[in-house]
Amino acid sequence: MPFSFIEIEQQKSRKIILLFIVLVFFYFLSALFVVVAFKIGIFFEAVSHQRILFSGFTIWPSIPTIVITSAIAVIVAIIHWYFSTQNLIEKILTYLNAQPLDPQDTYHQRFKNVVEEVGTAIGGKKIETQVINSHALNAFALADFKGRAIIGGTEGLLVKLNRRQLEAVVGHEAGHIASGDCLATTISTSLFELHAQALKILRELSRGRNRGGLPILFLMVVLSITKTLTFMINMFISREKEYRSDAISSRLTRDPLSLAEALYLISTNWRGEGIAGDELSSIFIMSPRWNALEESEGFWANLFSTHPPVQKRMGVMLDMAHTDISALKNTKPDSLKQAEEIIVSQENLINKMFNQQLPTASGHYSCPKCHQGLIEVLYEGMPVWKCQFCQGYLVNQNRFPRILSREVMPLSPEIAKLAKAMRQSAAEKSYSAPMVNTPSQFFCPSCSKKMVRGFYPAIYPLKLELDQCPACQVIWFDKNELQLVQYFSQISA
Amino acid sequence: MIFFIILLALTALVILWFIITYNSLVFLRMRLKNAWSQIDVQLKRRHDLIPNLVETAKGYIAHERQTLENVVKARQQAVSAEGLKDKAQAENFLTTTLRSLFAVVENYPNLKANQNMLALQEELTTTENKISFARQYYNDETMRYNTALQTFPTNYVANMFGFIKEDFFEIEDASEKQAPSVKF
């Protein structure tokens, strides 16, 4: 069984060589196309001007032409290859807007642990972790020539899947890394899709300045060629690899049911259509963009899609677990279940009220409102500072978007009521406050300078002003404000 | 003359086969060693975590001394255990005592909610998982190695150069191996 990395190396290099040959072949064909087109042009021009062509003129290129064309194709392919594979991983990560993990964050820590566990299962491979800040559910894997491997997940995935499901998903991604197809996928992604994306941006830029014209036509041609190439590469990256990685995952974790559950959750939730890099479908566990081709079978679907139909994937896993689709009916995000339990059990509530000693203030920050020491608490699994007296929160600006992408903690009905009232008043007044920052009445708990009061762009239409300190990167939320912001962002999503 | 050349070629072929087989066996054995070191790292990690765990739990469950003492004792045994069999036994015992400690912790909401305890529990969970994954990998590798030793014709080479069968790292977890008792 090819599970250790040494055995896979040969397979891997064979795949990479094949990929390079595809690239050379592509440039050869396009160069040939240019030559033929040029010759046809000469031919027609000669005919229309009734000039006599020199003898031996053929539209088909001669052997020396083919040799020269292929030499050019090889050189261009090498240059393209070289530039695409520089900083392979970094480039894609930047494009996906992925971030390294925050070691203080509970969920991030859990994700890191799970990835390390799976790394142990495939023989002690070191795998790095990254996270995309979005409440979509998806995961991806990247690898490069030096053996560096990365598994990343979205915030939604880290929070909404339980440990076993997360392990199954990470196992699937580790399967791609272990079986070596991850490197081929990463390279092909870098070679073509990023390329196509850059051209798209270029085209939009030039469209803005002057309409029509030769450069744009040229760019359009190049763009369509790269798109065709992506299709060719999708052919090269067969959908079989997904089945294989699913199988590896269930072999590593010995838990096919959890993988089926995870696939079910991912497929029934938002997979991330619209996030940065959602067209790089081949690196994700499931294509962020839903398309009908991917969910169907047959010759064309097999040829052009990167992932097999999710139903079939789940079916294979459920078969392995000796169960059927009914096992998935009650699958809910685990954290939601926990949240429900917290609300339901009164015993728990009483325990909390009587037994929990008030944590002492750390003395690190003091509340900008009542000047009492703030205590560090976990909010949606992230350390924030809370004032025990006015119930306000001080949140690190980097961590704030992550709070918005998590929906673990249940929001109280009062918040919903308050939010409704706010929305109504906003609709009635319908004034548009300018989006300018005004000086706040509070002083920053960290640097004691005056804070700035302004709107948070993500929820702008609703007028909720927040106090922030641009220098220290912290935001102060009055009582209920944090929950309100969360509520609005969940409603709008 | 031709006969001589054929003989020479055959001898060369046999020698080549010997070399390849021997090397592949060495290769398998090295990988087994690597797999074992993976387990060892994780076991050490667990041993290091336990004093912290006991220290945190002490303040809350002082009157459950027996459980805590058992954990400490089991840890000492596990640290000083030598050889695969002993080690496996000691680690299994440690796992059992830890499990009973966590069962006790469940009854103390204060301790359960303790930040330090939560972090330790996550840390121990991941270490336990890593141990079981590393063990899984080790056992897979052992199976491969042992199969290679016993299959024909590799077994001749193995016997000649003194490759010996390795033991599996087995679990004797009472809760896992017992048949479920049925009551009517």
Side-chain angles (χ1 to χ4, degrees):
Chain A
M1 249 155 284
F3 265 100
S4 313
F5 294 95
I6 313 107
E7 284 164 25
I8 291 154
E9 287 304 317
Q10 294 168 333
Q11 259 187 359
K12 213 155 64 178
S13 45
R14 226 176 293 149
K15 261 182 205 157
I16 302 304
I17 289 167
L18 201 60
L19 198 62
F20 184 72
I21 289 171
V22 170
L23 191 69
V24 171
F25 186 64
F26 163 72
Y27 277 115
F28 173 69
L29 277 187
S30 38
L32 214 59
F33 172 74
V34 169
V35 168
V36 172
F38 186 66
K39 284 203 169 181
I40 290 174
I42 290 177
F43 178 73
F44 275 107
E45 182 138 302
V47 169
S48 61
H49 289 90
Q50 307 218 323
R51 243 184 289 140
I52 300 151
L53 290 161
F54 58 90
S55 61
F57 180 87
T58 50
I59 285 174
W60 293 114
S62 58
I63 288 166
T65 323
I66 288 177
V67 171
I68 292 167
T69 323
S70 30
I72 291 171
V74 169
I75 290 166
V76 174
I78 287 172
I79 293 170
H80 185 174
W81 184 273
Y82 177 77
F83 280 107
S84 296
T85 51
Q86 291 296 94
N87 293 327
L88 197 58
I89 287 178
E90 295 307 329
K91 232 187 306 183
I92 299 177
L93 285 181
T94 323
Y95 189 67
L96 290 170
N97 208 356
Q99 310 282 331
L101 298 186
D102 178 354
Q104 280 178 300
D105 191 311
T106 327
Y107 289 101
H108 285 194
Q109 190 58 43
R110 187 180 73 160
F111 181 55
K112 185 165 171 277
N113 287 343
V114 166
V115 171
E116 278 175 10
E117 284 162 29
V118 173
T120 313
I122 55 173
K125 166 97 181 161
K126 199 177 159 357
I127 302 173
E128 290 170 49
T129 39
Q130 290 272 333
V131 63
I132 298 177
N133 197 341
S134 155
H135 57 263
L137 258 62
N138 225 320
F140 64 92
L142 298 170
D144 72 358
F145 292 106
K146 290 170 203 139
R148 187 175 164 211
I150 284 182
I151 290 180
T154 54
E155 283 290 345
L157 189 90
L158 307 199
V159 173
K160 282 179 197 151
L161 263 53
N162 67 25
R163 204 191 172 97
R164 294 168 72 85
Q165 291 159 352
L166 197 60
E167 201 139 70
V169 169
V170 171
H172 169 97
E173 297 304 340
H176 283 311
I177 295 170
S179 64
D181 55 41
C182 186
L183 181 60
T185 323
T186 310
I187 293 174
S188 79
T189 301
S190 169
L191 276 181
F192 307 111
E193 310 220 27
L194 287 183
H195 201 65
Q197 193 59 29
L199 279 162
K200 208 186 275 174
I201 293 164
L202 212 68
R203 186 177 59 161
E204 265 159 28
L205 275 179
S206 62
R207 188 183 278 167
R209 249 174 258 144
N210 57 327
R211 285 166 180 281
L214 208 67
I216 286 165
L217 194 75
F218 178 72
L219 279 179
M220 295 274 269
V221 169
V222 175
L223 188 70
S224 55
I225 289 171
T226 32
K227 266 201 166 162
T228 328
L229 202 62
T230 318
F231 266 151
M232 277 167 67
I233 285 308
N234 282 349
M235 273 190 266
F236 175 76
I237 298 168
S238 78
R239 6 161 63 164
E240 297 305 313
K241 74 179 176 34
E242 297 298 327
Y243 287 125
R244 197 174 55 210
S245 275
D246 285 349
I248 293 175
S249 169
S250 68
R251 195 188 121 85
L252 289 177
T253 61
R254 315 260 146 116
D255 189 4
L257 185 61
S258 287
L259 184 58
E261 282 171 4
L263 289 175
Y264 178 76
L265 281 174
I266 295 173
S267 65
T268 50
N269 271 287
W270 178 46
R271 301 182 207 165
E273 176 157 2
I275 63 169
D278 67 344
E279 73 277 7
L280 309 182
S281 63
S282 51
I283 62 169
F284 286 102
I285 185 167
M286 221 174 270
S287 300
R289 288 178 183 175
W290 189 89
N291 65 50
L293 194 67
E294 196 135 295
E295 299 306 324
S296 55
E297 297 257 0
F299 178 72
W300 292 110
N302 283 340
L303 209 58
F304 287 131
S305 62
T306 48
H307 294 68
V310 62
Q311 255 156 12
K312 214 171 163 202
R313 282 170 78 182
M314 284 196 295
V316 172
M317 287 299 119
L318 288 172
D319 262 1
M320 277 191 195
H322 302 294
T323 173
D324 58 12
I325 197 81
S326 63
L328 297 180
K329 285 282 153 64
N330 297 322
T331 303
K332 247 200 276 180
D334 198 53
S335 43
L336 286 186
K337 263 188 244 163
Q338 280 170 6
E340 273 170 20
E341 276 165 24
I342 290 168
I343 305 168
V344 170
S345 83
Q346 291 192 341
E347 199 185 342
N348 204 326
L349 203 69
I350 292 165
N351 270 342
K352 257 194 187 149
M353 282 167 74
F354 287 100
N355 290 337
Q356 203 165 21
Q357 46 196 163
L358 278 182
T360 46
S362 62
H364 194 57
Y365 293 135
S366 68
C367 173
K369 219 173 179 179
C370 25
H371 306 290
Q372 302 294 329
L374 296 178
I375 52 155
E376 199 181 313
V377 292
L378 286 180
Y379 190 90
E380 298 274 19
M382 242 168 305
V384 298
W385 294 272
K386 187 185 179 188
C387 176
Q388 292 285 83
F389 297 91
C390 67
Q391 308 289 322
Y393 285 99
L394 185 73
V395 181
N396 205 319
Q397 222 163 48
N398 305 331
R399 290 183 183 148
F400 176 53
R402 250 184 278 151
I403 289 182
L404 291 188
S405 55
R406 289 181 185 170
E407 314 170 349
V408 184
M409 283 176 39
L411 295 172
S412 66
E414 285 107 77
I415 296 294
K417 232 183 264 173
L418 202 60
K420 212 178 264 174
M422 267 192 77
R423 199 168 255 198
Q424 221 155 30
S425 80
E428 278 165 15
K429 282 179 193 164
S430 75
Y431 72 101
S432 56
M435 224 176 134
V436 286
N437 294 337
T438 50
S440 158
Q441 52 169 332
F442 297 137
F443 293 92
C444 172
S446 179
C447 64
S448 322
K449 283 191 187 125
K450 239 192 166 110
M451 292 177 98
V452 175
R453 202 165 163 77
F455 297 106
Y456 190 74
I459 49 153
Y460 172 60
L462 291 150
K463 281 93 198 168
L464 198 64
E465 281 182 296
L466 303 174
D467 301 291
Q468 0 189 328
C469 178
C472 309
Q473 303 258 310
V474 289
I475 311 178
W476 171 255
F477 294 89
D478 287 333
K479 187 186 178 185
N480 287 342
E481 270 185 356
L482 183 55
Q483 290 91 331
L484 273 173
V485 173
Q486 238 184 323
Y487 183 84
F488 284 134
S489 85
Q490 283 174 25
I491 294 295
S492 60
Chain B
M1 185 63 191
I2 287 173
F3 174 74
F4 187 68
I5 288 172
I6 289 174
L7 200 70
L8 207 70
L10 274 180
T11 326
L13 224 62
V14 168
I15 289 172
L16 197 70
W17 176 78
F18 256 88
I19 291 171
I20 290 170
T21 315
Y22 177 80
N23 280 351
S24 73
L25 282 176
V26 170
F27 192 68
L28 280 173
R29 195 167 59 183
M30 283 313 284
R31 230 166 39 195
L32 200 60
K33 276 206 180 123
N34 173 42
W36 173 252
S37 72
Q38 289 287 331
I39 301 184
D40 230 26
V41 168
Q42 298 309 333
L43 291 181
K44 281 227 176 67
R45 174 95 189 107
R46 180 156 80 162
H47 299 161
D48 293 345
L49 282 173
I50 287 168
N52 270 337
L53 179 78
V54 171
E55 207 50 48
T56 311
K58 225 191 224 164
Y60 292 84
I61 51 169
H63 47 277
E64 307 256 7
R65 273 180 78 160
Q66 195 56 42
T67 324
L68 285 174
E69 271 169 18
N70 277 347
V71 173
V72 174
K73 218 186 286 169
R75 179 192 171 263
Q76 266 162 5
Q77 266 177 30
V79 170
S80 57
E82 295 282 339
L84 190 81
K85 278 254 166 68
D86 283 354
K87 245 182 189 168
Q89 213 168 11
E91 290 301 334
N92 287 331
F93 183 52
L94 181 58
T95 309
T96 330
T97 54
L98 272 178
R99 214 168 274 169
S100 61
L101 174 64
F102 282 126
V104 169
V105 169
E106 284 296 306
N107 300 329
Y108 293 80
N110 274 349
L111 178 55
K112 235 173 85 180
N114 183 317
Q115 287 291 324
N116 214 345
M117 189 65 187
L118 283 175
L120 270 172
Q121 220 157 353
E122 165 67 27
E123 202 52 13
L124 267 168
T125 312
T126 184
T127 316
E128 294 275 337
N129 285 351
K130 277 179 206 159
I131 290 171
S132 76
F133 277 139
R135 206 187 57 214
Q136 182 180 308
Y137 183 73
Y138 174 80
N139 285 344
D140 283 354
E141 289 298 317
T142 309
M143 191 187 71
R144 233 201 275 188
Y145 174 70
N146 286 349
T147 315
L149 287 197
Q150 285 165 34
T151 42
F152 177 83
T154 327
N155 55 350
Y156 285 105
V157 184
N159 280 336
M160 211 176 286
F161 293 101
F163 285 90
I164 29 170
K165 230 179 99 189
E166 291 283 345
D167 289 329
F168 290 103
F169 195 85
E170 305 234 42
I171 43 159
E172 278 160 34
D173 195 334
S175 63
E176 270 182 54
K177 280 207 169 163
Q178 247 169 29
S181 56
V182 184
K183 279 184 191 157
F184 292 101

